[in-house]
Amino acid sequence: MKPVAGSVPSASDPSASDPPAPDSVVDGDDPRALVWDIIRGEWRFSALYAFVALDLARWLRDGPLDVAELARRCGADAGALARLLRTNAALGVVRTVSVREGRRCYALTPAGLTLHGGAEHSMRSVVIPQGAPDFREAMGSLAEAVRAGRSPFVTRFGSLYAYLEGDPEARGHFDAHMATRSRTIADAAVARYDFSGVSCLVDVGGGVGTILAAVLKANPRVRGVLFELEHVLPGAREFLASEGVLDRCELVAGDFFRSVPRADAYLLSNVLHNWSDTDAIAIGRTVVSAMSGAGRCLFLDMLLPEDDRPHLGKDLDMRMLALHPGGRERGRAEYLALLREAGLVAERVVDLPYALSLIEAVPAR
């Protein structure tokens, strides 16, 4: 029997539909659910960014605090902070450890601990740039970037790197993030690729040499050359010395559009994705012209699947579109075709963790 108009169906009524879950806007099988989940992702990130911008992990790292005390320490409104913490607790960043006389006390979860700047593999310097106003504005201008083929951020600043040159704080966060990411990449590359047959490895655009140091430490007979811009080298020298490999590493300043040192192996980690096809091909040709006859080139980059599967690189490509004048993530076929244009032939592709691939290429015969 159908319920009378205006009445409330009983729980036992087979015609009654279950209400959406408390964590949903619509039923899970509603096609709008996907769109709502994406929208809510923006709200959730805003709560996470506020947590990091207020540096709450710094105050909570030594133990739980109640909302009033935490508000006093970080200089926030206690009522607003309580709402922010409630949401971050739902996200899994903090957890309630006690409620006494209406005063809720929070502690960091393991995920929340990563938001402290001094934590190993800290995520603080990853979150801060994502939520910085200029970067949020850039991501919000994607439609304009697609219409024009050029990002408003690029028009205003020239590139991400040009922007960083004018903002030391943003540069510090970026460098810290890249150092952490490079250590992760280094561990994966050393574990999955045999460098023992290399005599001299040139790390082209290798930052302070994080990956190069890992290779040299794991392969005592390999010599290294870090090829970078002049202003990067003092910090690189200090880092390589701290890693105990400076005695087997030469530091060379230069421009990889002009020339690179001669060697039998080259490493380019997350280099080509920063550049347009034309520029990436030019970089590849520079390396080929310097490579010895039996040399090889190792590229560490993301290769996007050619189908509709989700992939980290597809998300990252939107950031490349928003922040770089020509950089992009590329599909596997597109990437290998680009290498052929540069005079290289990919001999094998080694899948690495974290959506990365190592592409081993040799000069075309």
Side-chain angles (χ1 to χ4, degrees):
M1 181 178 70
K2 293 184 178 180
V4 177
S7 66
V8 178
S10 68
S12 60
D13 189 335
S15 67
S17 59
D18 292 332
D23 194 44
S24 302
V25 180
V26 295
D27 290 329
D29 58 356
D30 188 313
R32 296 173 296 170
L34 172 65
V35 180
W36 270 115
D37 190 58
I38 295 170
I39 292 170
R40 290 177 59 210
E42 170 71 12
W43 304 344
R44 292 190 291 261
F45 175 73
S46 295
L48 177 69
Y49 178 73
F51 185 95
V52 173
L54 291 167
D55 210 5
L56 299 181
R58 176 166 72 94
W59 300 111
L60 289 169
R61 66 171 177 166
D62 293 328
L65 292 172
D66 65 42
V67 175
E69 177 60 20
L70 186 55
R72 186 188 69 78
R73 295 193 187 189
C74 73
D77 176 82
L81 181 61
R83 295 162 65 186
L84 180 69
L85 289 166
R86 177 177 60 193
T87 296
N88 275 279
L91 295 178
V93 172
V94 293
R95 62 185 179 87
T96 302
V97 293
S98 66
V99 182
R100 295 183 186 139
E101 299 178 355
R103 295 164 65 99
R104 190 172 290 268
C105 190
Y106 287 98
L108 292 172
T109 65
L113 283 167
T114 71
L115 299 174
H116 176 250
E120 185 178 9
H121 305 307
S122 171
M123 290 293 291
R124 187 171 192 274
S125 287
V126 181
V127 174
I128 289 288
Q130 312 303 318
D134 286 333
F135 289 176
R136 294 292 286 273
E137 181 181 347
M139 297 307 298
S141 301
L142 272 177
E144 187 176 345
V146 171
R147 287 191 188 101
R150 183 177 177 85
S151 163
F153 182 92
V154 171
T155 300
R156 182 180 174 190
F157 297 108
S159 70
L160 170 62
Y161 300 105
Y163 174 85
L164 295 175
E165 288 303 314
D167 190 330
E169 182 180 359
R171 181 84 212 193
H173 286 302
F174 178 82
D175 289 346
H177 166 48
M178 293 308 297
T180 298
R181 187 166 186 263
S182 292
R183 284 193 293 271
T184 302
I185 295 172
D187 292 343
V190 169
R192 300 291 292 274
Y193 186 82
D194 183 8
F195 288 90
S196 62
V198 173
S199 174
C200 179
L201 177 67
V202 179
D203 190 353
V204 179
V208 297
T210 305
I211 300 177
L212 182 60
V215 173
L216 295 181
K217 288 168 74 173
N219 299 272
R221 296 185 179 181
V222 177
R223 292 183 301 107
V225 177
L226 181 67
F227 185 73
E228 254 294 358
L229 298 174
E230 184 72 50
H231 74 272
V232 179
L233 296 186
R237 187 179 303 278
E238 181 179 344
F239 172 77
L240 292 167
S242 71
E243 293 291 298
V245 296
L246 185 59
D247 61 329
R248 288 190 289 129
C249 191
E250 180 182 1
L251 281 69
V252 178
D255 177 354
F256 52 42
F257 286 106
R258 295 178 177 273
S259 64
V260 295
R262 288 189 62 81
D264 63 327
Y266 295 82
L267 174 68
L268 290 87
S269 176
N270 292 288
V271 172
L272 296 193
H273 84 142
N274 287 326
W275 300 93
S276 68
D277 288 353
T278 299
D279 286 338
I281 291 168
I283 295 168
R285 287 176 176 170
T286 303
V287 173
V288 170
S289 67
M291 196 181 302
S292 62
R296 52 183 145 159
C297 195
L298 309 174
F299 298 92
L300 284 165
D301 266 312
M302 292 184 179
L303 299 182
L304 308 187
E306 306 292 348
D307 55 25
D308 294 338
R309 280 174 292 167
H311 191 281
L312 172 61
K314 294 179 180 179
D315 300 335
L316 181 59
D317 193 39
M318 295 299 93
R319 192 161 177 80
M320 301 298 290
L321 179 59
L323 298 176
H324 289 267
R328 64 189 63 202
E329 304 302 332
R330 298 174 171 92
R332 182 187 179 105
E334 184 182 12
Y335 198 100
L336 300 187
L338 184 145
L339 294 185
R340 287 195 295 272
E341 285 290 321
L344 290 161
V345 175
E347 289 205 323
R348 62 172 169 149
V349 176
V350 180
D351 292 330
L352 300 178
Y354 319 113
L356 285 166
S357 295
L358 187 153
I359 304 99
E360 181 185 54
V362 299
R365 306 303 182 202

